[in-house]
Amino acid sequence: MTRSNSMKFALPCVVLVSMALGLASRPALAATATTTFGVNATVQSTCLVSATAMAFGTYTGAVATSTSAVSVTCTNTTPYNVGLSAGLATGATVTTRSMTGPAAALLGYALFSDSARTVNWGQTIGTDTVTGTGNGAAQAITVYGQAAASQYVAPGAYADTITATVTY
């Protein structure tokens, strides 16, 4: 074999061996790039309020008591005040509430923030409201009601509607 023929034969062999040993067995190289981004939000103070009915039952002329639960849910650390309206009866105030019955008859009652029924619950912040601080969960606050004795009004059904307002 001549030198030029052996070169012709050797060159393809070298290429094939090189490919078999190195080029063909190497994994493909992968490139990566990264970045970062910020994430943010602003939490707004908020409160929700709900309440259960207050039922005095059958009034017989004796003192009648009852309770209601006002449930307040505010964002964590949000300070709040709960006020109770005077109700819908003609002439009612937060200290002289009344339920209206047959022929516009009135049955007086009061709402208190303490179980001894001595602290009137009204709607003036800093005077007669109930304060709290939200924790993100529902907080139950008891409203104590009392209908005074010796009210001899017309028989029948009496009712009123109180609005609970949360200021935060």
Side-chain angles (χ1 to χ4, degrees):
M1 210 176 212
T2 65
R3 189 175 182 137
S4 111
N5 280 344
S6 68
M7 287 294 273
K8 286 180 188 174
F9 177 73
L11 187 58
C13 286
V14 168
V15 170
L16 289 173
V17 168
S18 294
M19 288 176 65
L21 291 177
L23 297 177
S25 64
R26 284 191 184 164
L29 295 178
T32 62
T34 62
T35 189
T36 61
F37 60 94
V39 178
N40 61 61
T42 301
V43 176
Q44 183 175 343
S45 293
T46 190
C47 292
L48 304 171
V49 63
S50 63
T52 61
M54 178 177 288
F56 284 104
T58 302
Y59 179 76
T60 62
V63 171
T65 61
S66 186
T67 60
S68 170
V70 174
S71 179
V72 179
T73 305
C74 292
T75 47
N76 196 25
T77 71
T78 300
Y80 63 85
N81 277 275
V82 180
L84 301 180
S85 70
L88 303 178
T90 302
T93 68
V94 295
T95 56
T96 58
R97 292 177 171 99
S98 294
M99 293 176 270
T100 304
L106 299 175
L107 178 62
Y109 71 98
L111 299 177
F112 303 96
S113 60
D114 66 319
S115 60
R117 292 174 172 80
T118 59
V119 180
N120 185 67
W121 194 335
Q123 57 189 357
T124 303
I125 294 173
T127 301
D128 57 4
T129 59
V130 172
T131 63
T133 301
N135 63 7
Q139 295 174 304
I141 305 167
T142 303
V143 180
Y144 300 91
Q146 180 173 304
S150 303
Q151 298 182 73
Y152 297 105
V153 296
Y158 287 74
D160 192 19
T161 301
I162 296 293
T163 300
T165 301
V166 176
T167 304
Y168 57 96

